[in-house]
Amino acid sequence: MARRSRLARVAALGLLGVLTLTGCDLNNEFWRFGFPEGVTEEATEVRQLWTGSVIAALVIGFIVWGLIIWSVVFHRKKGDDLPRQTAYNLPLEIAYSIFPFIIIALLFFFTVTVQNDVQERSDDPDTTIAVNAFKWNWQFVYPETTGPDGEPVNTVGATDEIPILVMPVDQDVRFEVASADVIHSFWVPEFLFKLDVIPGNENGRDNVFEVHANEEGAYVGRCAELCGSYHAYMNFEVRVVSADDYDAYLAAREEGQSTFEALESIGQPGDATTTRPFRVGDGYYQRAAD
């Protein structure tokens, strides 16, 4: 009994030490358990679900490991006498049936709650951007703008040019994604979310989602669906800027400036910084920046 009491005190002190070292900040690197931090409000919810799931799994794991060790230590063979035999233990069997159901129900509840929050759409988003995927590049259209040609401002990638999607920070941004050919997948790792871009809408799927970015910066985007020969090089860049810079960028584009020129005019690099075209022979293919 004394030994178990000492072990319990040591375990408690160890847990207190871990919490002290981490500062109880569940968003620090330790509690993320290797998961990316994310740069959107939706990503924070996904990361919290991951952290909670891992902690729950570890708690259950320690309980199971503790029971195994306890059985090995205190119920090891002590002689040749046959131990007392127990045929049934109804309360224990009921617990074995109920507890797993409760655990699964809780995981299901929190997963569905986070999924609904991540996929929730506002009635009136601050910004809408149309994303068109094709083999093997991207086009980003700003439908609320009008360029010199009378059409909405858009940015389209090429084999020697990385397409840059510019969006404002601290605003609800809606992405309306579409594919011109096969199934692609719009994925920005820092969003902790991706959406398959399914051609057409015959199956009733609505390829729309929203994010609320809370950090400015440049983030690489990728196609996460095997879509053909050059799928691996189908990269793009998301540039999150302030609301004022975003308005200035669109105004410059409406005046006829290119993506490069408009980005330079707001003090941003004109070319992508997180990924770049990768030259092979006479062709260019995209790859992540070193």
Side-chain angles (χ1 to χ4, degrees):
M1 180 66 70
R3 178 182 296 179
R4 275 181 284 179
S5 178
R6 286 196 300 271
L7 290 174
R9 287 197 296 270
V10 171
L13 288 173
L15 179 59
L16 179 61
V18 170
L19 293 176
T20 302
L21 290 174
T22 59
C24 296
D25 178 12
L26 296 184
N27 194 40
N28 64 27
E29 187 174 357
F30 177 85
W31 288 112
R32 292 205 307 269
F33 301 109
F35 212 64
E37 182 177 357
V39 297
T40 67
E41 292 182 354
E42 293 76 14
T44 299
E45 292 196 54
V46 174
R47 200 273 312 153
Q48 290 173 344
L49 175 64
W50 165 261
T51 296
S53 299
V54 173
I55 291 176
L58 287 174
V59 169
I60 295 171
F62 279 115
I63 292 174
V64 173
W65 298 329
L67 289 174
I68 292 174
I69 295 173
W70 179 79
S71 299
V72 170
V73 172
F74 294 100
H75 291 279
R76 64 187 183 275
K77 183 177 179 180
K78 300 177 182 178
D80 294 330
D81 295 336
L82 186 66
R84 182 169 61 90
Q85 303 298 298
T86 303
Y88 301 101
N89 189 322
L90 188 58
L92 190 60
E93 292 177 2
I94 292 176
Y96 283 161
S97 300
I98 293 178
F99 287 163
F101 176 79
I102 293 175
I103 293 170
I104 293 172
L106 287 173
L107 288 174
F108 178 79
F109 170 78
F110 287 113
T111 299
V112 171
T113 300
V114 171
Q115 177 178 294
N116 289 338
D117 289 343
V118 169
Q119 294 183 334
E120 184 180 5
R121 304 168 192 167
S122 58
D123 295 331
D124 186 21
D126 299 309
T127 300
T128 299
I129 300 174
V131 177
N132 300 318
F134 58 93
K135 296 190 293 187
W136 283 276
N137 226 308
W138 302 86
Q139 180 190 40
F140 307 122
V141 183
Y142 303 86
E144 300 170 354
T145 62
T146 303
D149 58 357
E151 298 293 328
V153 168
N154 74 90
T155 295
V156 61
T159 54
D160 59 349
E161 180 182 356
I162 300 296
I164 300 176
L165 187 160
V166 182
M167 59 175 284
V169 72
D170 294 328
Q171 290 189 15
D172 293 325
V173 179
R174 175 174 294 178
F175 295 109
E176 299 177 347
V177 298
S179 171
D181 34 55
V182 299
I183 297 177
H184 299 280
S185 187
F186 183 82
W187 180 42
V188 181
E190 281 78 9
F191 288 179
L192 305 189
F193 178 86
K194 67 183 181 66
L195 182 68
D196 284 351
V197 189
I198 300 176
N201 198 33
E202 293 80 1
N203 60 357
R205 181 185 178 91
D206 191 6
N207 296 327
V208 177
F209 74 100
E210 292 183 15
V211 298
H212 187 105
N214 48 34
E215 289 185 25
E216 295 184 27
Y219 309 102
V220 66
R222 309 180 188 279
C223 175
E225 185 73 28
L226 184 58
C227 58
S229 301
Y230 303 113
H231 152 76
Y233 304 109
M234 193 172 164
N235 294 346
F236 61 95
E237 180 171 288
V238 173
R239 194 74 60 81
V240 182
V241 300
S242 67
D244 291 339
D245 283 349
Y246 179 72
D247 292 338
Y249 167 80
L250 291 183
R253 293 298 312 278
E254 288 181 313
E255 293 173 358
Q257 294 186 25
S258 65
T259 301
F260 181 93
E261 294 169 338
L263 285 171
E264 292 262 307
S265 71
I266 62 172
Q268 291 280 336
D271 290 322
T273 59
T274 60
T275 184
R276 66 172 187 266
F278 177 49
R279 185 178 178 91
V280 177
D282 294 330
Y284 287 88
Y285 307 107
Q286 298 163 8
R287 70 170 184 179
D290 295 331

